[in-house]
Amino acid sequence: MAKVSMVSLGCPKNQVDAEMMLYSLKEAGFELSVAEAEADVIIINTCGFIEDAKKEAIENILEASKYKTEGKCKALIVTGCLAERYKDDVTEEIPEVDVCVGIGSNKDIAEIVKKAIKGEFKNTYGEKDALDLNMPRILGGVPYSAYLKIGDGCDNCCTYCAIPKIRGRMRSRSIEDCVDEAKKLAKNGVKELIVVAQDTTAYGTDLYGEPKLCELLSELCKIKELHWIRTLYTYPERITDRFLELLAKEEKLVKYLDIPIQHSNGDILRRMNRKGNEDTLRALIEKIRNTVPGITIRTTLITGFPGETEKQFEELHRFVKDIKFDRLGCFAYSAEDGTVAGEMPDQIEDQIKIDRMEHIMETQMTVSEENNKKKKDTVCEVLIEGYDDYIKCYFGRATWDAPEIDGKVFFLTPKPLKIGDFVNVKIFDTIEYDLMGEVV
Ligand code: SF4
């Protein structure tokens, strides 16, 4: 049977889509090949929400296209957000691409590949809502940690964001469907479940008429095999007292909150079509830290939003210094076609945007070092992820480390350990984003 290779880019939600397509391809009898050079068909599951992501997608597409001459590749297929956002422009502007598939046609990927192998190249775009969120999947990552995608799309319509146009309106899976999948994942060895959507705190609003994240998390906590349940992509205005009390009460709910705020200045937030200001954000963060002792707060910021003055940027920089987020990512604003902010006057020069982003990240490196120093001589629970042959020690993640975006804990141990197990580690040294310790 033909071999298919899949490269998946972008966020965990896109990764789950790729895992669903891999399952349907395997069910259809295709051999899944990791090596693009061996593959009869290569699928690039793209990200496409900002300039950098689009560049990375095109680089991967052009890289894969060389196997059409140097390898066995008969068809190069592009799926995911770049395909959904630009449709036929992808095949028109990148002739190396044979077929472009919108997210609403992910479920038809096996049929599309069968035709493509015979040279029948037809771009296919199903309705966004046709993206089946309950399809079975083949986990692409590690067996002990998995993402649970509880919905797709977003209704928040931040003015700088192309995602609502790409992924459509918010669509939640039912609590039953999410719990069923989580039970299957747990039975198959998953111990860390990472709950994702564009806005997890809006979960259920479309289906039940009100947010149901607390109800879902309470049900997930009942799954005995699960050890850690981590929630990403929460939305500041939807952080409720009830959610924070649940986070504090339930042992399985990791004391970690990913809460992108994007900026601290009220005028900028208003022009981003987001609510709040510096005072409301300070009050929210104080409440989070008081309600959930020891919580790790991750946030994301944007610098150089149209019209951002030097004074507003200095306010944001001071805010970052004061709040001392545990984890912080910062993007230089990317003017995206089809977004409200992309049409705004007062677009800022790229170099200024980048300088501001780098200034924030320099300060955050110092904040992270200070925060890490406080962890010295403390004991933390670590999920064992591997052994580093170069520095001859194991490594893993603590509750304050989400996969792929945060730091690591490196640790010594007198005896061999099993990947995917948990151990207690006493920290004796710290470096910027990582920690060093020994098993106790
Ligand atoms: S909440 Fe996130 S995904 Fe939704 S519009 Fe805003 S930035 Fe985009």
Side-chain angles (χ1 to χ4, degrees):
M1 190 53 163
K3 287 184 179 174
V4 179
S5 171
M6 166 93 75
V7 175
S8 191
L9 307 170
C11 70
K13 293 149 275 181
N14 211 29
Q15 179 187 327
V16 172
D17 292 356
E19 293 171 350
M20 290 174 170
M21 287 190 271
L22 287 172
Y23 183 90
S24 16
L25 288 163
K26 192 149 197 311
E27 280 299 286
F30 289 105
E31 191 184 328
L32 303 181
S33 155
V34 281
E36 290 173 272
E38 298 299 310
D40 301 287
V41 174
I42 299 175
I43 301 174
I44 309 292
N45 188 44
T46 58
C47 175
F49 81 117
I50 53 170
E51 207 48 40
D52 288 354
K54 291 185 261 183
K55 278 200 196 107
E56 185 196 21
I58 293 165
E59 279 158 18
N60 276 270
I61 290 168
L62 297 178
E63 174 62 26
S65 69
K66 76 179 187 205
Y67 294 110
K68 294 172 79 171
T69 47
E70 298 167 15
K72 300 182 185 141
C73 183
K74 300 180 188 65
L76 178 55
I77 299 178
V78 170
T79 61
C81 292
L82 188 83
E84 180 64 30
R85 185 174 180 183
Y86 295 107
K87 297 191 167 56
D88 289 358
D89 293 355
V90 174
T91 41
E92 278 153 27
E93 289 172 27
I94 316 174
E96 291 84 351
V97 175
D98 299 301
V99 185
C100 187
V101 180
I103 60 171
S105 298
N106 284 4
K107 63 185 178 337
D108 310 320
I109 194 69
E111 279 315 305
I112 292 166
V113 169
K114 275 186 196 143
K115 290 195 176 112
I117 285 177
K118 290 184 275 175
E120 294 169 35
F121 300 149
K122 185 173 175 309
N123 293 351
T124 313
Y125 312 111
E127 286 304 312
K128 295 180 199 303
D129 294 6
L131 174 65
D132 180 353
L133 302 176
N134 294 314
M135 281 167 66
R137 50 200 270 227
I138 294 179
L139 289 191
V142 292
Y144 50 82
S145 178
Y147 294 105
L148 179 72
K149 184 175 172 179
I150 62 174
D152 201 49
C154 187
D155 296 343
N156 295 332
C157 298
C158 304
T159 57
Y160 53 83
C161 184
I163 293 171
K165 277 204 171 60
I166 299 172
R167 308 299 297 200
R169 302 291 313 267
M170 165 93 194
R171 301 177 309 287
S172 302
R173 302 170 69 189
S174 72
I175 292 177
E176 295 71 27
D177 287 333
C178 293
V179 172
D180 277 358
E181 185 183 359
K183 282 181 178 160
K184 285 193 195 108
L185 291 170
K187 281 237 163 355
N188 294 329
V190 168
K191 296 181 181 142
E192 177 190 37
L193 192 72
I194 306 165
V195 174
V196 297
Q198 267 77 22
D199 173 0
T200 48
T201 40
Y203 168 74
T205 316
D206 55 315
L207 205 52
Y208 304 105
E210 59 179 358
K212 287 284 187 185
L213 181 61
C214 292
E215 285 78 359
L216 174 61
L217 292 175
S218 300
E219 289 305 311
L220 294 176
C221 286
K222 294 175 185 162
I223 302 174
K224 65 180 185 341
E225 298 92 342
L226 292 178
H227 190 74
W228 281 355
I229 299 168
R230 187 186 298 274
T231 305
L232 301 182
Y233 309 105
T234 65
Y235 196 76
E237 276 73 45
R238 294 201 181 88
I239 302 286
T240 61
D241 294 358
R242 186 163 163 248
F243 172 62
L244 293 176
E245 280 145 23
L246 185 73
L247 203 53
K249 183 176 68 100
E250 289 287 353
E251 205 182 317
K252 285 187 183 179
L253 295 183
V254 172
K255 310 309 173 225
Y256 180 100
L257 203 53
D258 169 40
I259 176 176
I261 63 169
Q262 311 302 3
H263 210 286
S264 61
N265 175 271
D267 176 51
I268 297 271
L269 286 169
R270 188 179 48 72
R271 295 170 60 239
M272 286 179 166
N273 189 31
R274 295 175 70 98
K275 301 185 187 64
N277 54 41
E278 183 163 338
D279 295 342
T280 59
L281 287 167
R282 282 180 183 276
L284 174 64
I285 290 157
E286 192 182 338
K287 182 167 72 174
I288 293 170
R289 286 175 170 163
N290 291 342
T291 315
V292 191
I295 190 154
T296 295
I297 301 180
R298 159 174 269 281
T299 198
T300 308
L301 302 174
I302 294 175
T303 55
F305 185 79
E308 183 189 58
T309 62
E310 191 54 41
K311 181 171 173 299
Q312 288 167 330
F313 171 69
E314 279 315 319
E315 275 177 28
L316 178 65
H317 182 249
R318 183 177 36 49
F319 180 78
V320 167
K321 276 173 96 171
D322 290 359
I323 296 293
K324 297 188 187 321
F325 289 100
D326 305 282
R327 307 286 188 202
L328 184 148
C330 188
F331 291 90
Y333 169 73
S334 174
E336 290 303 316
D337 53 89
T339 64
V340 175
E343 304 301 320
M344 284 180 183
D346 311 332
Q347 297 286 333
I348 292 179
E349 262 177 64
D350 285 353
Q351 197 50 52
I352 295 176
K353 293 188 243 183
I354 293 164
D355 291 348
R356 290 176 179 175
M357 181 260 285
E358 286 171 354
H359 192 28
I360 293 275
M361 290 316 291
E362 272 157 31
T363 299
Q364 181 58 25
M365 174 105 81
T366 317
V367 167
S368 180
E369 277 169 353
E370 281 167 30
N371 287 342
N372 263 0
K373 284 204 174 77
K374 294 181 197 135
K375 294 191 170 75
K376 209 164 175 217
D377 301 325
T378 65
V379 174
C380 60
E381 184 180 42
V382 172
L383 170 56
I384 307 166
E385 294 198 300
Y387 184 81
D388 187 313
D389 281 319
Y390 183 71
I391 57 174
K392 301 277 177 265
C393 75
Y394 282 88
F395 61 86
R397 287 181 290 111
T399 53
W400 47 73
D401 299 315
E404 300 164 62
I405 53 177
D406 294 330
K408 295 270 185 223
V409 180
F410 295 87
F411 57 95
L412 306 171
T413 168
K415 58 182 174 37
L417 298 169
K418 188 162 157 285
I419 308 294
D421 278 0
F422 292 87
V423 283
N424 289 327
V425 171
K426 182 166 184 185
I427 304 301
F428 59 64
D429 198 358
T430 71
I431 24 191
E432 292 116 18
Y433 298 110
D434 300 324
L435 301 168
M436 191 72 197
E438 61 192 340
V439 169
V440 291

